[in-house]
Amino acid sequence: MDVTTPVSGDPWLIVGLGNPGPEYAMNRHNVGFMVADLLAERIGGKFKRAGKAQAQVLEGRIGPVGPANRRVILAKPMSYMNLSGGPVNALKDFYKVPVANIVAVHDELDIDYGVLRLKRGGGDNGHNGLKSMTKAMGADYHRVRFGIGRPPGRMQVADFVLKDFSSAERKELDYFVDRAADAVECLVIEGLERAQGAYNS
């Protein structure tokens, strides 16, 4: 078997990317944390600090009873976005998760607000969280890319991603976060091709 092929018996590590602290909670850059929090609610557990890994984690299962049921570790790195790779790599090693069973949920500038794109591997497109993860363990992990659009006018990208979603955007944010969580579950349970067909819009 190709060692990069996701294996149903192995656990999945689902990583929501963001920055820790209440001042960042509603930033566009923190949409990965928002999706992870919703998945935690669905599982029915709470995040706990993961020792030396500098992350909050929650272990649980998703999917129907039977062969499609998956063991998952939800994680939110607490290292700040540009250092996410260290905590994720530590969790990968601790839980013995193949890189192909890792899913990064993150904001994406080059996609319109609320649009999802799922893929495996590829570049980081200037995203510091992905850049750090790829440096730590290679690029062959899955990504659930949550579109936030480009900054208006001459606003700098760094300012845009570290601002809260606008009041207009917040009207649809819960729906889009819910849909992203559905996409993560579909990816883990049914595979990338099925999830792309259902959620790549």
Side-chain angles (χ1 to χ4, degrees):
M1 186 192 317
D2 179 353
V3 295
T4 64
T5 301
V7 181
S8 61
D10 288 321
W12 284 77
L13 176 59
I14 301 167
V15 181
L17 293 178
N19 287 308
E23 67 272 32
Y24 299 106
M26 290 302 297
N27 285 181
R28 294 182 177 91
H29 223 18
N30 268 42
V31 73
F33 274 17
M34 297 174 197
V35 175
D37 286 339
L38 179 56
L39 287 167
E41 281 182 35
R42 292 181 179 184
I43 288 172
K46 293 185 177 180
F47 283 100
K48 297 179 180 177
R49 196 78 183 199
K52 297 178 181 178
Q54 206 175 358
Q56 290 185 353
V57 299
L58 168 63
E59 296 181 62
R61 304 193 76 89
I62 62 174
V65 175
N69 190 258
R70 301 284 183 263
R71 179 184 170 217
V72 299
I73 299 98
L74 294 179
K76 296 191 296 184
M78 294 287 110
S79 56
Y80 290 98
M81 183 70 83
N82 61 345
L83 298 173
S84 299
V88 175
N89 198 45
L91 292 171
K92 171 185 74 71
D93 292 345
F94 180 79
Y95 289 103
K96 297 179 173 57
V97 180
V99 173
N101 279 32
I102 296 173
V103 182
V105 185
H106 64 93
D107 57 303
E108 178 61 64
L109 285 161
D110 285 338
I111 303 174
D112 289 340
Y113 174 59
V115 174
L116 297 177
R117 291 281 189 276
L118 284 73
K119 70 172 189 174
R120 178 173 159 195
D124 56 59
N125 202 25
H127 193 287
N128 288 330
L130 298 182
K131 192 177 298 183
S132 180
M133 285 180 60
T134 297
K135 183 177 180 182
M137 60 190 189
D140 197 40
Y141 52 91
H142 290 84
R143 300 104 189 274
V144 174
R145 305 157 71 205
F146 186 110
I148 61 170
R150 301 294 303 185
R154 297 184 179 182
M155 183 185 290
Q156 294 295 310
V157 166
D159 294 332
F160 179 69
V161 299
L162 292 176
K163 283 189 180 298
D164 290 357
F165 284 101
S166 69
S167 56
E169 288 169 334
R170 284 199 295 272
K171 291 176 182 177
E172 296 182 291
L173 182 59
D174 287 347
Y175 168 76
F176 289 140
V177 168
D178 189 73
R179 190 166 183 272
D182 289 346
V184 172
E185 291 181 343
C186 184
L187 167 61
V188 170
I189 296 166
E190 300 187 54
L192 177 60
E193 188 173 341
R194 183 70 64 87
Q196 286 175 325
Y199 293 98
N200 276 16
S201 48

